Each structure stands twice: as C-alpha cells, then as structure tokens.
Amino acid sequence: MAVWHLSLPVVSRRDHGIGTVAGSCEIVVLRLTAEDGTVGWGEASPWSVFTGSPEASFAALDRYIRPHVVGRRLSDRAAMMQDAARCVAHCTEAKAALETALLDLTGRITNQPVWSLLGGQCRSTIPLSVSIANPDFSADIALLERLVSDSVGLIKLKAGIAGHRFDMMRLETIAKDFPSLRVRVDFNQGLTPEDAEVRVMDVASMQPDFIEQPVAAHQFDLMARIRDQIDVPLLADESVFGPEDMARATREGICDGVSIKIMKAGGLTRAQTVARMAAANGMTAYGGDMFESGLAHLAGTHLIAATPEITLGCEFYQSKYYLTEDILESAFVIRDGQVVVPQNAGLGIQPDPDKVEKYALRGSAE
Ligand SMILES: [Mg+2]
C-alpha cells in the first residue's frame, strides 16, 4: 500500500460561495498491490473548506486505515470498508479512495469493469456539465465558446461570489448569447439568511434546471423555506454527505434532489445508497465532484454507469478543462459533450506513475 499527496496545477482561478481555488488543487493518491503484483488505484479529493484537508486524507490512509487493509483478503471488501469507517472519524475522501482502489484491483484481477462490481451497467455515456466560476467573466465567455464547439450542453454557474448583479448579468448573457446551453446554478452556501430568499427567487425567474445549496449546510430550516417559495428544483450538496444526512434531508423536506459525490459519501457503495434513497423519496440525483484528477472522475463514472437513479448528468470536467495536466496514462474520455464509460477491466485507465511522482509533495513507504 502506497500513498502520495499531490499538488496539481490548474489553468485559472475559480471562486465559489465557500472559497477560492487558485494555482493548484491537492489530492491524495492510493495504490494497493496484490500478492500477484496486480495494482489498484484510488483518489481522495478533499477541499479544506468543504470536506476536509489533504493532510487528513493522507494520515487517514497511511496511518489509520493501513493496518486494516495490508494482508487482508481482497474479497473481504465490505469488512475492510466497515473497519475503515470505524477506525477514523470523517475523512470520507480517504474512504472513497480506499473503496475505489479495492474495486479497481478486484476488477483487474477478475477482468471486470468496476461498474460490473456495482451491479452492472445501465448507461454507456453520461452528459457532462462544466462549471463557470471564473471571477473574470470574459475568460469564462471564451470557455463557453469552447464548450459549445465541443458539443457540451450543460453548464453550472457558480453564483453568490461577487454580488447579485454579477450573477444576474451572467445568467442573462448566457441565455442571450449561448441559447443551446442548459444552465444550472450553484451558490455553494454563499447566501446569508438575510438575502437568500430574494436572491434565489430572482435567479429562479431565469428558469435554470435547478438551484443548488444557496445557504449554509446546517441551515435545513432555511433550505426548506426557500424550497417552498420557488418553482425550480432545489438541490442539496453540502447539506447531504452520506445516507444519514439524506434521511434527515428527506424528513425535513429541504430539497427536490441531491448532488451525489463519492468524496462526501465515503465511497461508491454509500454514494449509490444516497442515490437510491433520493429516488425512493421522489427526488433526483446529480453526479457531482470535487477538484479531482481523472482517477476520481473514473470512479464517479463507474458509479453513475451502474446507478440508474443518477439522472442529471455529471461534472467530471476538471481533467479536460481545468487541470494543466492530468495524471492518467491516457486521457479521461469525453466525446460530444458526454463522458464515455470505460468497458475494460477495473477503472479502465491507470495513472502514469511518472506523473504521480512529478506532482508529489510527499509519498509514504510501500
Ligand atoms: Mg455544489
């Protein structure tokens, strides 16, 4: 078992209601090696203002989870995930990395794609959404032109970062100049209880597909109140990490749908559970992500390929549109605005070990 903490350069600054990403994003990569030498890879993609820190992900895997994995039988995956859940609190991204690596390794040894291990395939492509979050909107105009020429049909506008006027101006400009794009809006908790209701109602008048997480994660009452006032679906993201949060969100009626992320749920299986709980309660599900490399995108792709309840597409765009260079040995495949589900064993593409070394801030002993 080997663990690396990487810093991956990015092409631009991006602002969100909860914080900014600029310069680079940091991830943790895990490699498990079986007795026969076969390897499986997984990624933890934390964001300190949202889920947790890369230092915590690294320590969770290298120090706390390692003793529960090394020397174990690969087929005891559920037991290892249960031990990982108990041996260190939170650190959901580290647990997602562990399950990803175990599934990749199992798939490679048994010659099955990861989606096959998650119940089988229900779709071969997934509509891609790209997020618009540059404080310099003229740079995002150039990105929007590129997206249209790449046949991308979905975008998510990151709102609540620089005033209501900036949000409405961007929405109106996109509606007028890029009519082929379907628009979703995500506030990333950026609104205050004082201004949230008025601003969300104004944005809802533009009829986006959905509005995501306008207020702080813990403000369930306010989420429910906003939901009652708009005729556009309200999605929960930061309010719902795993199945336990989904149960509460359902009881308290805070949302019409949920953004599913393996980094929040603590793995692919738990993310699948969140999607099924949402569907059973009449809600929709979206394939969200964090600031990830193509390795974590692959895990999310296999999850959605095996989970019919996730119907709103995915946002696995960083590999192609945000990282200066991805770490995979061949490109994460996006064609005609759709993520293409791999059909070969495991995750389908492996990281390039030279790139992992190139971007590593530190690595553990094997
Ligand atoms: Mg979000």
Side-chain angles (χ1 to χ4, degrees):
M1 173 171 171
V3 189
W4 294 265
H5 175 176
L6 312 189
S7 175
L8 302 176
V10 299
V11 299
S12 67
R13 170 176 158 154
R14 297 176 89 77
D15 285 355
H16 310 72
I18 46 170
T20 293
V21 173
S24 68
C25 60
E26 295 184 29
I27 63 166
V28 171
V29 170
L30 168 68
R31 187 185 67 202
L32 298 177
T33 306
E35 274 182 337
D36 71 354
T38 309
V39 297
W41 296 84
E43 173 177 335
S45 325
W47 186 17
S48 62
V49 296
F50 190 144
T51 55
S53 67
E55 292 81 4
S57 294
F58 187 94
L61 288 164
D62 190 44
R63 177 174 174 188
Y64 297 96
I65 292 176
R66 177 188 289 273
H68 299 282
V69 175
V70 174
R72 295 283 289 271
R73 209 171 59 151
L74 189 54
S75 51
D76 291 343
R77 188 170 72 240
M80 283 186 270
M81 290 307 297
Q82 196 170 29
D83 289 343
R86 288 174 178 161
C87 75
V88 58
H90 309 298
C91 300
T92 47
E93 320 91 324
K95 293 160 191 170
L98 173 64
E99 193 175 23
T100 302
L102 290 170
L103 287 165
D104 186 31
L105 188 52
T106 303
R108 288 183 190 280
I109 288 173
T110 60
N111 196 29
Q112 299 176 78
V114 165
W115 50 251
S116 176
L117 301 168
L118 295 172
Q121 188 175 14
C122 65
R123 52 175 72 87
S124 57
T125 59
I126 306 163
L128 176 72
S129 171
V130 176
S131 294
I132 299 300
N134 198 319
D136 173 7
F137 187 49
S138 62
D140 268 340
I141 294 281
L143 175 60
L144 288 162
E145 285 165 355
R146 181 180 169 203
L147 297 176
V148 170
S149 75
D150 287 352
S151 304
V152 171
L154 300 172
I155 59 155
K156 192 152 87 173
L157 187 82
K158 294 294 190 173
I161 56 178
H164 188 50
R165 239 186 242 170
F166 185 56
D167 291 343
M168 296 306 289
M169 178 277 287
R170 290 184 298 160
L171 282 170
E172 285 159 11
T173 302
I174 293 166
K176 183 162 71 66
D177 297 343
F178 299 94
S180 67
L181 294 172
R182 295 292 319 161
V183 179
R184 289 93 182 261
V185 176
D186 187 359
F187 284 98
N188 282 103
Q189 315 180 68
L191 302 184
T192 65
E194 291 75 32
D195 66 2
E197 290 170 71
V198 170
R199 287 183 63 171
V200 172
M201 277 198 286
D202 237 9
V203 166
S205 72
M206 299 294 292
Q207 293 289 302
D209 286 356
F210 59 74
I211 296 174
E212 189 171 317
Q213 197 71 48
V215 294
H218 66 274
Q219 287 171 333
F220 274 44
D221 287 353
L222 186 51
M223 284 285 286
R225 213 156 63 228
I226 290 169
R227 181 184 171 222
D228 283 345
Q229 293 180 42
I230 56 175
D231 61 354
V232 167
L234 188 67
L235 255 68
D237 182 4
E238 287 91 332
S239 289
V240 175
F241 270 44
E244 303 79 6
D245 297 328
M246 191 71 239
R248 183 183 165 205
T250 304
R251 278 197 309 274
E252 300 187 19
I254 73 161
C255 55
D256 304 287
V258 60
S259 174
I260 309 274
K261 300 178 179 176
I262 64 170
M263 300 303 161
K264 292 189 300 178
L268 290 79
T269 309
R270 279 170 55 84
Q272 212 165 24
T273 300
V274 175
R276 290 185 174 144
M277 290 171 72
N281 286 285
M283 288 180 241
T284 54
Y286 171 61
D289 76 354
M290 302 299 290
F291 288 97
E292 303 179 350
S293 85
L295 177 57
H297 288 355
L298 285 168
T301 298
H302 284 270
L303 165 72
I304 298 171
T307 311
E309 293 83 358
I310 304 177
T311 56
L312 297 174
C314 71
E315 58 190 19
F316 304 144
Y317 69 89
Q318 291 89 355
S319 167
K320 178 169 180 176
Y321 293 102
Y322 193 50
L323 297 179
T324 303
E325 182 183 40
D326 197 4
I327 59 169
L328 294 179
E329 64 184 10
S330 66
F332 177 77
V333 181
I334 295 168
R335 193 178 301 137
D336 297 329
Q338 309 271 325
V339 169
V340 178
V341 176
Q343 298 298 313
N344 41 344
L347 291 172
I349 309 173
Q350 290 198 319
D352 176 343
D354 292 339
K355 290 181 186 165
V356 172
E357 287 297 338
K358 176 178 171 185
Y359 294 111
L361 301 174
R362 63 179 169 147
S364 73
E366 188 68 40

